[in-house]
Amino acid sequence: MSALQSIPFSMVAVWIIIAGVALLIEAITTGLSSIWFTAGGFVAAIAAALNAPIPVQVVLFLVVSIALMLLVRPLAKKKVTGEITPTNADSLIGRRLVVIEEVNNREKTGKAKVGDIDWTLRSVNGTVIPEGGIVVVKDIEGTKLLVVSEAEAAAEA
């Protein structure tokens, strides 16, 4: 009798542990990388509980895990990551605004009104833009609109 045969163990327990470890890894990484092995482990555990031979359990584990990964992962990944939905603030990028307070990065000044909201402006390249000047929004950083003068925006185009 070999040493392996003398150690009492349950393949059901082995497969449940494998499934649990895969689930734990999935919970830590949240990248849809190992959830498939959790399902494969549970299918193999059921096969073990039904006294299927170990090679059959291994094949079921591999087939179920790989099949789920290949067939379901692309759909699940698309659902989980989805499309990036622009916010209302994102709609300001490219918009022209009238400066209501001089834009001066050194002095930390600069404002424009969008609807009823005053936005803080910062010049992308440090240019001072006078009150009444027209700016084009290039980006948003937190609660600040990063802008260039209309002339600079035209030169870029």
Side-chain angles (χ1 to χ4, degrees):
M1 185 154 74
S2 76
L4 186 58
Q5 290 174 333
S6 67
I7 300 172
F9 70 94
S10 166
M11 282 306 292
V12 174
V14 170
W15 289 117
I16 289 175
I17 290 169
I18 289 171
V21 169
L23 188 61
L24 181 63
I25 291 169
E26 184 64 36
I28 292 169
T29 63
T30 66
L32 293 176
S33 57
S34 62
I35 192 73
W36 325 111
F37 301 107
T38 301
F42 282 124
V43 169
I46 291 168
L50 297 172
N51 294 320
I54 292 176
V56 171
Q57 296 170 33
V58 171
V59 168
L60 283 171
F61 171 76
L62 292 172
V63 167
V64 169
S65 298
I66 292 169
L68 286 175
M69 191 174 6
L70 294 176
L71 299 174
V72 181
R73 187 173 196 265
L75 300 173
K77 190 84 166 163
K78 189 174 181 182
K79 274 288 195 208
V80 170
T81 56
E83 301 272 331
I84 295 175
T85 306
T87 64
N88 288 338
D90 291 331
S91 68
L92 296 174
I93 295 174
R95 193 161 170 189
R96 296 174 59 222
L97 304 174
V98 177
V99 176
I100 61 172
E101 177 185 88
E102 178 182 76
V103 179
N104 186 324
N105 292 358
R106 262 192 215 159
E107 301 293 323
K108 295 188 170 108
T109 61
K111 282 197 175 19
K113 195 175 261 318
V114 178
D116 295 342
I117 301 170
D118 285 350
W119 281 84
T120 301
L121 304 179
R122 291 295 177 259
S123 173
V124 169
N125 53 17
T127 305
V128 174
I129 304 167
E131 183 176 333
I134 306 293
V135 294
V136 176
V137 179
K138 290 295 189 177
D139 202 1
I140 301 171
E141 191 174 274
T143 60
K144 296 177 181 72
L145 300 178
L146 304 179
V147 299
V148 295
S149 70
E150 187 175 44
E152 290 170 322
E156 289 176 1

